[in-house]
Amino acid sequence: MRVLGLDIGSRSVDAVWLDDGRIVDWAVADSGFDPGSAAAIFVDRGAHDAIVSTGYGRHAARERFGGTAITEITAYGIGAAALHPDVASVLDIGGQDTKVISLGSAGKVTDFEMNDKCAAGTGKFLEVMARALGFTLEEMAAAALAAKSGVVISSMCTVFAESEVTGLVHRGEDRGRIARGLHESIVTRTLGSLRRIGAKGPLVFAGGVAKNPAMVELVAKGFDGAVLVPAEAQTVGAFGAALCAARSEA
Amino acid sequence: MAGEGVDYRPMWAELGLDLPMHDALLEAVGGMYGQTFMTQANRPEGMGYLDFVMSEVHGLRIKELDDFRKSGGKVVGTYCLYVPEELIRAAGAWSVGICAGAEWAYDQVEQILPRNTCALIKSMMGFKLGKVCPYLEEADLLVGETTCDGKKKAYEELGKLQNMYVMELPQMKRAKDVAFWRSELVDLIAKLEALTGKKVTAESLKASIKEVNDKRRALQRVNAARAADPAPISGLDSLLAVQVAFYDDVPRFTQMMNALADELEARVADGVGVAPTGAKRVLITGTPMALPNWKLHQIVETAGGVVVGEEMCTGSRYFEKLVNEDASTLDEMLDDLAAKYLDINCACFTPNEGRLDDVVRMARNLKADGVIDYSLQFCGTYQIESTAVQKTVHDAGLPVLSIDTDYSAEDVGQLSTRVEAFLEML
Ligand code: SF4
Ligand code: SF4
């Protein structure tokens, strides 16, 4: 039996195909201005017996492709628990939102928090700051790792932080220290959210920002418990959706 | 939402409404009402009355107020639960709760009030500045109260535009506060008597206490039925009933709500519901939801949940407690009124532990699977109290979701995701 999980996010559309419970294929595409069409290409790729959509485009996808829809929270819980059976919490930092999830047994969500109101502390935030520093994302992460200490950044609002960073650069502050400070301020906030929901280790760190080595190192340093980064951190949601599809068919 | 065939425009024009803007408001609210309420499955027939009232919200009801005033009656507008409707009625006036549940004329509002003012206060000013609320324009007197700082200071601005009287509400609930509040009730009576030229007597007050209690009893019946699974009435419809309670004719409304309660009780006996048995049940607690603020209920119920109770001023706080009916002298009645009103658990008071107990008790009685704690952005009192609410609910073994929002539709997508995830988790 072949099933498809789709995660239609604001930045990317992720797909995972399972056959008898095993991953047989996965793919990622840019959402662009028409994420539905990006998803349609995946849906048309071959026959499947069931489909479950997640992500902010889940309802539109369900209407267009059939199947059912679940939220990212539930999908990440299922996906993370399948990758690491003893996982107790999930951190997902995506392009435009951050989620922290506490899990009970078998990936069942017991509490969660989402920052979805603004870009503060998300992938978007890091992109804007890298631009302000004249770095690529990779360069910024490397510079942050190389710096011994970070500058304290007081604003979390993307717009204010950007002008703060510009001001620091003009004053001749070391770009590496600024980069480290930016990463530290996101991590401090994220750890606060994790504490608020009583998140325990092991923690699965997923989402696009989990590819950033500076973020991973700082989260691992501050979190009380093991931090695991899945190989395909971005597709955990789609994987969870696919598993949900497989279970409903079984 | 104008009535069929009747032209209310001359009446609205006479009230000084901005007709084109008023048309726009009615169209927006009418559209929202249709999409939100009329699309619900298996509604109780008794909701037909509220549908009618809503379709005539600026029509027939305003005509009634208008006729009442033309025959010498006075209309008093209020913004908060603490202003006793009983006293207003005992002085021969009619009381209308002025809604402040939609974003309106914020561009004008923000010239007077800071942007970071709660939506309720902004809306209250917006309806006045935008000249679109016939209830406000029918009000001969507005009675405010010193609850939160935002309202208190905004009343100073509103008072420049309309005849306004502000009651001083204590911030604690000790015996001396009750005594003080009682003295405020006495002052209000003097103010009302001067307005209507009628005396508040033991007889008139006894009658109005009974009348308003009857209204509360009818709402208690409607809400008690919601403890059943399947729920016989949606959260949206129950919320609407309380919202309408603030401005509809009292005896008529009471009668219609009792009829609705009869129907709901029969539904419960027959196991008829608006959502399937086992649908996730949610109690909402927090800041009031003034008409036409249906945002959170709609999100929850569209996502397949059912709202089974509201611990808020447009909910249990309005109807749960009755005024003692056994008093025979005016003095005793004032004691009873002061005691009952200071027993409302609003976050403007400190401490406000009664509210925490109310939330847990209601969640249990209504068999809620989870609680949503709802605050309007920039409402310091409720936002701060949210920490205690979340902890209490959590300690009682129930999941809780905390939401901060306003009246705009901007965050509906994000809120839906959080609410759906919450329902999936229950
Ligand atoms: S929340 Fe408090 S201030 Fe607001 S209407 Fe209720 S009692 Fe009045
Ligand atoms: S919602 Fe909060 S800030 Fe707004 S009027 Fe009520 S108590 Fe005041």
Side-chain angles (χ1 to χ4, degrees):
Chain A
M1 186 195 57
R2 193 176 161 90
V3 299
L4 169 59
L6 279 176
D7 182 353
I8 297 148
S10 54
R11 316 301 298 285
S12 69
V13 175
D14 315 328
V16 169
W17 286 265
L18 300 181
D19 209 339
D20 291 329
R22 278 194 324 277
I23 300 182
V24 288
D25 199 3
W26 60 272
V28 174
D30 272 347
S31 298
F33 57 89
D34 182 11
S37 298
I41 296 173
F42 294 149
V43 174
D44 294 340
R45 235 194 222 184
H48 47 257
D49 305 298
I51 177 168
V52 170
S53 306
T54 187
Y56 97 101
R58 64 192 177 283
H59 292 304
R62 182 191 45 200
E63 266 159 41
R64 184 159 169 181
F65 311 123
T68 52
I70 59 173
T71 60
E72 303 90 290
I73 303 286
T74 302
Y76 269 85
I78 298 174
L83 291 172
H84 298 284
D86 59 344
V87 64
S89 56
V90 181
L91 164 63
D92 164 54
I93 309 183
Q96 290 183 350
D97 65 10
T98 301
K99 315 181 237 306
V100 293
I101 310 169
S102 253
L103 298 175
S105 58
K108 174 119 181 59
V109 177
T110 55
D111 203 356
F112 68 93
E113 215 177 75
M114 259 176 112
N115 164 29
D116 45 15
K117 285 200 197 99
C118 66
T122 64
K124 183 83 205 165
F125 177 88
L126 287 170
E127 275 171 34
V128 172
M129 297 312 140
R131 208 177 319 120
L133 286 172
F135 279 145
T136 63
L137 274 174
E138 291 73 21
E139 287 164 354
M140 182 168 69
L145 280 176
K148 295 228 158 43
S149 62
V151 179
V152 175
I153 307 285
S154 51
S155 326
M156 273 312 279
C157 164
T158 312
V159 178
F160 290 150
E162 189 182 11
S163 41
E164 200 176 335
V165 164
T166 312
L168 287 167
V169 171
H170 282 292
R171 262 187 277 144
E173 185 55 78
D174 177 62
R175 288 194 301 164
R177 287 197 358 110
I178 303 175
R180 186 165 185 105
L182 286 164
H183 286 81
E184 282 172 350
S185 79
I186 301 181
V187 169
T188 306
R189 269 217 1 178
T190 306
L191 292 171
S193 304
L194 285 165
R195 260 194 305 276
R196 264 197 303 279
I197 62 160
K200 304 253 167 5
L203 168 81
V204 165
F205 184 3
V209 173
K211 289 190 201 148
N212 175 325
M215 288 296 294
V216 174
E217 184 175 308
L218 291 171
V219 169
K221 210 171 110 196
F223 183 71
D224 185 16
V227 175
L228 312 163
V229 180
E232 295 308 329
Q234 226 176 321
T235 55
V236 175
F239 178 49
L243 285 168
C244 179
R247 283 175 202 169
S248 62
E249 282 301 289
Chain B
M1 297 177 108
E4 299 284 304
V6 189
D7 185 11
Y8 292 116
R9 297 177 72 84
M11 176 175 76
W12 294 333
E14 203 185 312
L15 286 171
L17 297 189
D18 178 336
L19 291 185
M21 291 315 275
H22 181 250
D23 286 346
L25 174 73
L26 283 192
E27 203 182 301
V29 176
M32 243 166 92
Y33 191 82
Q35 277 165 25
T36 311
F37 286 87
M38 306 315 278
T39 51
Q40 300 178 90
N42 205 16
R43 292 173 86 205
E45 271 175 37
M47 286 308 295
Y49 173 68
L50 293 176
D51 289 338
F52 173 71
V53 168
M54 282 303 291
S55 72
E56 287 288 346
V57 64
H58 282 193
L60 207 53
R61 182 62 184 147
I62 296 301
K63 179 86 175 53
E64 287 178 345
L65 296 182
D66 216 59
D67 291 347
F68 176 62
R69 289 177 74 216
K70 286 189 172 133
S71 66
K74 299 291 178 192
V75 171
V76 176
T78 62
Y79 286 104
C80 169
L81 232 52
Y82 282 102
V83 178
E85 199 177 340
E86 291 88 345
L87 290 181
I88 296 171
R89 296 182 68 77
W94 285 1
S95 156
V96 289
I98 311 274
C99 352
E103 226 177 88
W104 200 263
Y106 274 18
D107 51 334
Q108 294 177 62
V109 173
E110 284 169 11
Q111 292 175 24
I112 298 180
L113 302 175
R115 289 196 60 167
N116 57 349
T117 305
C118 94
L120 214 104
I121 298 174
K122 277 195 189 173
S123 169
M124 162 181 113
M125 286 302 285
F127 279 109
K128 181 67 203 175
L129 295 170
K131 301 195 188 74
V132 289
C133 176
Y135 290 90
L136 256 174
E137 305 311 322
E138 291 283 7
D140 298 287
L141 174 71
L142 294 177
V143 180
E145 72 310 311
T146 57
T147 39
C148 69
D149 289 352
K151 269 213 259 177
K152 191 165 71 190
K153 299 306 283 183
Y155 288 144
E156 292 173 14
E157 294 301 326
L158 191 59
K160 293 175 186 162
L161 307 169
Q162 198 156 345
N163 185 21
M164 175 118 221
Y165 174 77
V166 177
M167 300 178 76
E168 183 177 347
L169 188 76
Q171 309 275 285
M172 296 177 95
K173 297 178 175 176
R174 300 158 303 186
K176 65 179 175 187
D177 298 309
V178 181
F180 175 78
W181 180 236
R182 187 189 188 283
S183 75
E184 282 293 295
L185 299 184
V186 172
D187 289 358
L188 177 66
I189 291 181
K191 183 80 193 170
L192 291 167
E193 286 177 342
L195 178 77
T196 62
K198 289 189 186 137
K199 282 269 161 223
V200 172
T201 63
E203 225 181 0
S204 71
L205 187 53
K206 195 174 175 73
S208 74
I209 286 176
K210 170 82 170 55
E211 228 171 27
V212 178
N213 272 349
D214 284 343
K215 168 161 73 166
R216 296 197 183 101
R217 284 190 195 97
L219 288 170
Q220 286 172 0
R221 283 184 63 202
V222 168
N223 280 272
R226 298 166 78 187
D229 187 14
I233 181 170
S234 66
L236 272 167
D237 282 338
S238 329
L239 171 66
L240 181 68
V242 181
Q243 289 173 331
V244 168
F246 285 93
Y247 70 88
D248 198 20
D249 177 79
V250 178
R252 178 179 62 209
F253 179 80
T254 304
Q255 187 196 341
M256 300 312 286
M257 287 307 104
N258 275 318
L260 176 65
D262 291 340
E263 184 187 352
L264 297 183
E265 285 158 12
R267 279 187 157 209
V268 172
D270 298 340
V272 176
V274 287
T277 308
K280 296 291 187 276
R281 304 162 65 84
V282 173
L283 172 74
I284 300 182
T285 176
T287 48
M289 295 173 173
L291 211 65
N293 176 10
W294 304 306
K295 184 171 160 179
L296 183 56
H297 280 63
Q298 190 183 20
I299 290 173
V300 173
E301 299 197 328
T302 307
V306 56
V307 179
V308 293
E310 294 81 20
E311 188 285 316
M312 52 177 57
C313 285
T314 46
S316 62
R317 279 183 233 153
Y318 179 65
F319 55 75
E320 247 195 353
K321 288 165 184 157
L322 302 176
V323 181
N324 179 23
E325 290 178 356
D326 304 331
S328 50
T329 67
L330 204 50
D331 269 341
E332 291 166 338
M333 289 175 204
L334 283 171
D335 290 344
D336 292 340
L337 279 171
K340 130 83 197 176
Y341 276 91
L342 267 205
D343 202 21
I344 297 171
N345 294 320
C346 161
C348 293
F349 282 81
T350 186
N352 189 33
E353 278 144 8
R355 177 170 166 229
L356 304 179
D357 301 338
D358 289 346
V359 172
V360 173
R361 176 179 46 81
M362 283 180 71
R364 297 227 162 95
N365 291 348
L366 296 165
K367 302 184 198 79
D369 298 303
V371 175
I372 298 182
D373 174 46
Y374 165 85
S375 311
L376 283 175
Q377 253 160 39
F378 311 120
C379 167
T381 53
Y382 279 88
Q383 284 178 319
I384 293 175
E385 202 162 281
S386 170
T387 308
V389 170
Q390 290 180 56
K391 177 158 192 324
T392 307
V393 174
H394 195 264
D395 290 350
L398 282 171
V400 55
L401 174 69
S402 172
I403 280 178
D404 245 7
T405 184
D406 58 15
Y407 295 162
S408 73
E410 254 165 48
D411 60 349
V412 167
Q414 293 142 351
L415 286 183
S416 300
T417 301
R418 288 168 63 192
V419 167
E420 283 171 37
F422 184 64
L423 296 174
E424 286 168 0
M425 176 183 121
L426 296 178

